[in-house]
Amino acid sequence: RQPLFILLLFVSAGILIVNSVMPFFTLEDDVKMLNECGLATLLISGALLAVWTAGTSITADIEGKTAMTLLSKPINRRQFILGKYVGIVQAVIWMFVILTAIFSVLIFFKVGYDQRERAEEISPRWQWTEVAGVELPFPHPDRTRVIAQVLPGVALAFLQVCVLGAIAVTAATRLPMVMNLVVCFAVFVIGNLTEVIVNRSVAGEANESVTFMARLISLVMPSLSAFNVSSAVATGRVVPPDYLASSTLYALAY
């Protein structure tokens, strides 16, 4: 019922389409930039949806006394919070499914365009394969290979949104929506910089107190940089399954 979902969906889809036709001037390597910008678009739109929905639904229910009506039924506080969180994650899943489908189609066509710019042999869009005696068209492996490399990055971006959504739901039980947005924005920024802060403080032989504070921040804040593999995906690296598994366990803990 919230117009924010439709608004974010159309804005994000428009950004993806614009990125697919906009020249990045990367010396004939625009697919990598499209992959990185697309993953960033999915992450930001999903995070905005999760944080905003947590603030508007939970905080509004508490301030409007709707939560008291619910909790007077055979529903405890834990069920109320978990139900809200599951509903937010479901909305994020739908947004990711739609945007990932659009993103995959854009990559599918962008690969051929990039090959033409590099004066290479353009991979055909379809490969005819015989199945049960019938010739059926399937997407060409050269194009689907690029899409398959992006999907782990999409999954990790979704896990990062789930962690931010959990923090937003927790903060929404005690803070108004504006403060919730500020807290989640701070967690998002610091969480993506914790690894850099610790590495710089240790490698640079910084003051002992600076190193202690850096490690304390990394201990308290979630290491969201663990879910950010857009650079690796953009350079064509394959995210190993064990990394996906460990990141999933880390997200489940939060």
Side-chain angles (χ1 to χ4, degrees):
R1 285 191 244 168
Q2 296 183 14
L4 180 68
F5 181 88
I6 301 296
L7 178 64
L8 281 175
L9 185 63
F10 277 97
V11 170
S12 302
I15 292 174
L16 290 175
I17 294 172
V18 169
N19 286 334
S20 65
V21 298
M22 179 187 298
F24 289 101
F25 303 105
T26 56
L27 298 177
E28 305 169 348
D29 208 0
D30 284 4
V31 173
K32 294 179 180 179
M33 286 300 299
L34 175 62
N35 294 346
E36 193 161 358
C37 293
L39 290 175
T41 302
L42 287 171
L43 173 61
I44 293 173
S45 61
L48 284 174
L49 177 65
V51 174
W52 186 273
T53 306
T56 54
S57 63
I58 298 177
T59 305
D61 282 354
I62 294 175
E63 292 178 351
K65 306 301 181 182
T66 309
M68 300 301 295
T69 306
L70 287 173
L71 295 175
S72 65
K73 307 296 182 183
I75 297 175
N76 56 37
R77 297 182 179 183
R78 185 178 303 172
Q79 292 171 334
F80 174 75
I81 295 299
L82 288 177
K84 289 287 187 180
Y85 178 69
V86 171
I88 292 170
V89 171
Q90 285 179 350
V92 174
I93 287 175
W94 278 110
M95 174 171 282
F96 263 72
V97 167
I98 298 171
L99 291 180
T100 302
I102 298 173
F103 190 27
S104 301
V105 172
L106 294 174
I107 294 174
F108 181 82
F109 288 100
K110 187 70 172 179
V111 170
Y113 177 81
D114 230 25
Q115 290 173 339
R116 185 179 64 185
E117 291 295 308
R118 292 195 298 264
E120 297 177 354
E121 183 181 355
I122 301 177
S123 302
R125 295 176 183 174
W126 308 103
Q127 183 179 34
W128 291 87
T129 306
E130 184 176 350
V131 179
V134 181
E135 291 283 341
L136 296 176
F138 288 92
H140 198 274
D142 291 344
R143 296 173 183 258
T144 56
R145 189 181 302 113
V146 181
I147 298 174
Q149 291 175 349
V150 177
L151 293 181
V154 173
L156 289 171
F158 170 73
L159 292 176
Q160 184 172 170
V161 172
C162 288
V163 174
L164 285 172
I167 295 172
V169 167
T170 305
T173 60
R174 293 290 183 270
L175 300 176
M177 189 176 66
V178 176
M179 288 301 300
N180 193 358
L181 290 172
V182 173
V183 168
C184 291
F185 178 75
V187 171
F188 177 77
V189 173
I190 299 175
N192 278 286
L193 293 176
T194 50
E195 187 177 352
V196 178
I197 294 173
V198 174
N199 291 339
R200 289 293 177 87
S201 61
V202 174
E205 297 181 356
N207 192 328
E208 196 171 312
S209 60
V210 176
T211 305
F212 170 77
M213 287 302 300
R215 290 180 172 175
L216 179 63
I217 291 173
S218 67
L219 181 65
V220 175
M221 290 288 182
S223 181
L224 299 180
S225 58
F227 304 107
N228 188 7
V229 294
S230 58
S231 299
V233 170
T235 54
R237 297 181 183 179
V238 179
V239 180
D242 57 344
Y243 187 84
L244 278 173
S246 61
S247 300
T248 303
L249 292 176
Y250 185 71
L252 284 174
Y254 274 94

